[in-house]
Amino acid sequence: MDTEVGGGESSNPKKQRKHKGKHDKPKPWDEDPNVDRWKVEKFDPSWNEGGMLEVSSFSTLFPQYREKYLQEVWPMVKTALKEFGVACELNLVEGSMTVSTTRQTKDPYIIVKARDLIKLLSRSVPAPQAIKLLNDDMQCDIIKIGNLIRNKERFVKRRERLLGPNLSTLKAIEILTGCYILVQGNTVAAMGSFKGLKQVRRVVEDCIKNVLHPVYHIKILLMKRELAKNPALANENWDRFLPKFKKKNVQQKKVKTKEKKPYTPFPPPQPPSQMDLQLESGEYFLSEKKKSERKWREKMEKQAEKTAEKKKKREAAFVPPKENNGTNEVGSSNANENSEVAAMAKSLKRKVKEFRNNQADGDVRAESYIANADQARPKKEKLSSKSD
């Protein structure tokens, strides 16, 4: 018995290994170029004639500002869901919308689409646009962007970056991806094909995380659209054709690091209090009258110092500047020249007096006067040199 049991245990893993991946065999339609694996076929009610065995229901809350709009649009939503055999209810007391399957429901996946429909209605998507979700080729994705960044100011700036001026960036993304996009609060609601929703999610997350600007994503999508038109490049890698954008590092403010002081187990000395300072100066023991007198005296001393400084500044404008005298050699040469000039001036004055006296007497001799002047001049120079 024991040997049989042991043999059975040892044979089980062999059997598991043998049958592992038995369904991963290549299928005949895998290599068929005519098969479109992304195509979603329209549901045929004949596939599920028996209907649903159990009732499935989903409900979601909506904000109060959407109440009036939902009341107006609810008949249109109800008729759209009735075509697929789905019942819906609008509860204004609780502020909720509920969808549930009925006996007429044939498509088992339609209840999931109805759940996404009421989610989109609660997130401010217009009813005519949200009803398109019930088609088989239309899917939706709700991207939560509120928890991707903590700083609220940065979040608002990056969300505006996603919208662009006059919603131009958002419209460009909608055209290139073929999806409807609505940015509302902390979420982004998108409707479209699976391929388009994947692209929208990448663009939105990269924008909020500051990985890549939406404009660069638009450039890449444009190039991909042009490359898709060329059938020769259908099965090739497009990375060599796509642009690679490098993120530029913006110079940030350098954080000033404080020098670490050597560690000491003892705490720093406690600074003296105001009472300690008064005790040291002796002010603590003075009476209130003496304290006020002391303060007044200090105030007057400071005032006197300031008035003296201001007076000096005012008087400085009236002090004459000091004359700059030349060097000693220049001064001595000037003194010699001045002495010679003074000697000549004295001799001329004396000669003028003599000339007047002679003229008065009537005995005027010009030649003797000129001769005497020539003889007297060097003597004066000698006298001036002796005086020097």
Side-chain angles (χ1 to χ4, degrees):
M1 289 287 288
D2 295 338
T3 54
E4 286 179 4
V5 172
E9 287 177 357
S10 61
S11 62
N12 282 336
K14 287 181 181 179
K15 286 181 181 179
Q16 287 175 1
R17 285 174 191 169
K18 186 179 179 182
H19 293 289
K20 187 179 180 182
K22 64 179 180 179
H23 300 294
D24 296 339
K25 294 175 184 178
K27 310 295 188 300
W29 56 82
D30 284 346
E31 297 177 0
D32 190 359
N34 299 323
V35 176
D36 188 6
R37 295 171 188 81
W38 286 99
K39 186 180 179 182
V40 180
E41 295 183 5
K42 193 175 181 181
F43 179 77
D44 189 1
S46 62
W47 296 348
N48 187 16
E49 293 179 355
M52 308 295 290
L53 298 174
E54 293 289 337
V55 176
S56 301
S57 65
F58 295 98
S59 63
T60 185
L61 299 172
F62 60 86
Q64 192 175 2
Y65 63 85
R66 293 286 290 169
E67 185 177 331
K68 189 177 179 182
Y69 177 76
L70 290 172
Q71 275 183 309
E72 295 173 359
V73 175
W74 196 250
M76 182 170 60
V77 176
K78 200 169 186 179
T79 53
L81 289 171
K82 194 175 181 180
E83 293 177 6
F84 296 93
V86 178
C88 59
E89 184 187 354
L90 179 66
N91 192 340
L92 298 174
V93 177
E94 294 179 359
S96 64
M97 292 179 284
T98 308
V99 290
S100 59
T101 56
T102 60
R103 290 183 180 180
Q104 285 78 28
T105 309
K106 302 295 180 183
D107 187 359
Y109 192 69
I110 197 67
I111 188 64
V112 179
K113 292 220 167 192
R115 178 200 65 183
D116 293 340
L117 169 64
I118 58 175
K119 275 186 181 179
L120 293 174
L121 287 172
S122 65
R123 292 175 189 276
S124 301
V125 177
Q129 181 65 36
I131 288 167
K132 292 178 184 177
L133 184 64
L134 299 173
N135 299 331
D136 290 329
D137 58 344
M138 188 69 71
Q139 309 298 328
C140 88
D141 188 12
I142 295 168
I143 307 160
K144 294 181 180 179
I145 57 174
N147 56 356
L148 295 177
I149 186 168
R150 291 184 180 180
N151 194 337
K152 195 171 182 181
E153 291 179 2
R154 287 183 183 176
F155 170 73
V156 171
K157 282 183 182 178
R158 290 176 190 178
R159 189 176 62 183
E160 288 176 359
R161 189 186 300 170
L162 183 65
L163 297 172
N166 297 324
L167 303 177
S168 58
T169 308
L170 194 70
K171 286 174 185 175
I173 296 167
E174 284 181 348
I175 292 164
L176 292 168
T177 57
C179 297
Y180 170 82
I181 306 168
L182 179 74
V183 181
Q184 177 73 17
N186 293 332
T187 58
V188 178
M191 289 174 62
S193 61
F194 286 113
K195 188 178 179 182
L197 292 174
K198 191 177 178 182
Q199 291 172 343
V200 169
R201 179 172 277 273
R202 189 184 295 117
V203 172
V204 171
E205 287 182 352
D206 286 356
C207 177
I208 301 299
K209 290 178 182 177
N210 201 25
V211 176
L212 197 65
H213 200 279
V215 173
Y216 297 141
H217 273 294
I218 289 166
K219 288 181 180 179
I220 292 167
L221 290 169
L222 281 167
M223 294 191 75
K224 282 183 178 179
R225 178 183 272 192
E226 293 298 322
L227 290 167
K229 293 177 183 178
N230 191 353
L233 301 171
N235 298 322
E236 291 187 17
N237 191 6
W238 293 348
D239 288 342
R240 57 197 174 101
F241 300 109
L242 299 176
K244 293 177 182 178
F245 302 104
K246 291 182 180 179
K247 190 175 179 182
K248 294 180 181 178
N249 292 326
V250 182
Q251 290 183 356
Q252 297 178 353
K253 291 182 180 178
K254 293 181 180 179
V255 181
K256 292 181 181 179
T257 56
K258 293 182 179 179
E259 294 181 0
K260 289 185 178 179
K261 295 179 181 179
Y263 173 74
T264 54
F266 306 104
Q270 190 175 1
S273 63
Q274 191 174 2
M275 190 179 288
D276 294 336
L277 295 171
Q278 288 178 352
L279 287 167
E280 286 179 7
S281 62
E283 189 181 350
Y284 182 79
F285 304 103
L286 297 174
S287 62
E288 292 293 330
K289 189 177 180 180
K290 288 185 178 180
K291 284 180 182 179
S292 61
E293 286 178 1
R294 188 175 180 181
K295 283 182 181 179
W296 182 81
R297 202 182 302 114
E298 289 175 357
K299 187 178 179 182
M300 294 302 292
E301 286 175 1
K302 287 180 181 178
Q303 202 171 4
E305 287 177 2
K306 286 184 179 180
T307 51
E309 288 178 3
K310 288 180 180 179
K311 191 176 180 181
K312 281 182 181 179
K313 286 180 181 179
R314 286 196 299 271
E315 290 176 352
F318 301 102
V319 175
K322 292 181 180 179
E323 293 182 357
N324 294 325
N325 295 325
T327 56
N328 295 329
E329 293 178 359
V330 175
S332 61
S333 62
N334 290 336
N336 292 331
E337 289 176 0
N338 292 333
S339 61
E340 289 177 2
V341 170
M344 287 176 70
K346 285 181 181 178
S347 64
L348 287 170
K349 284 179 181 178
R350 185 167 50 80
K351 294 297 178 184
V352 167
K353 284 181 181 179
E354 289 177 0
F355 178 76
R356 285 178 181 173
N357 293 329
N358 293 332
Q359 194 176 12
D361 297 338
D363 187 11
V364 179
R365 293 177 183 178
E367 293 174 358
S368 63
Y369 174 76
I370 295 165
N372 289 332
D374 292 335
Q375 291 173 2
R377 187 171 180 181
K379 289 179 182 179
K380 291 288 181 182
E381 287 178 359
K382 287 179 182 179
L383 288 169
S384 65
S385 63
K386 283 181 183 180
S387 63
D388 292 339

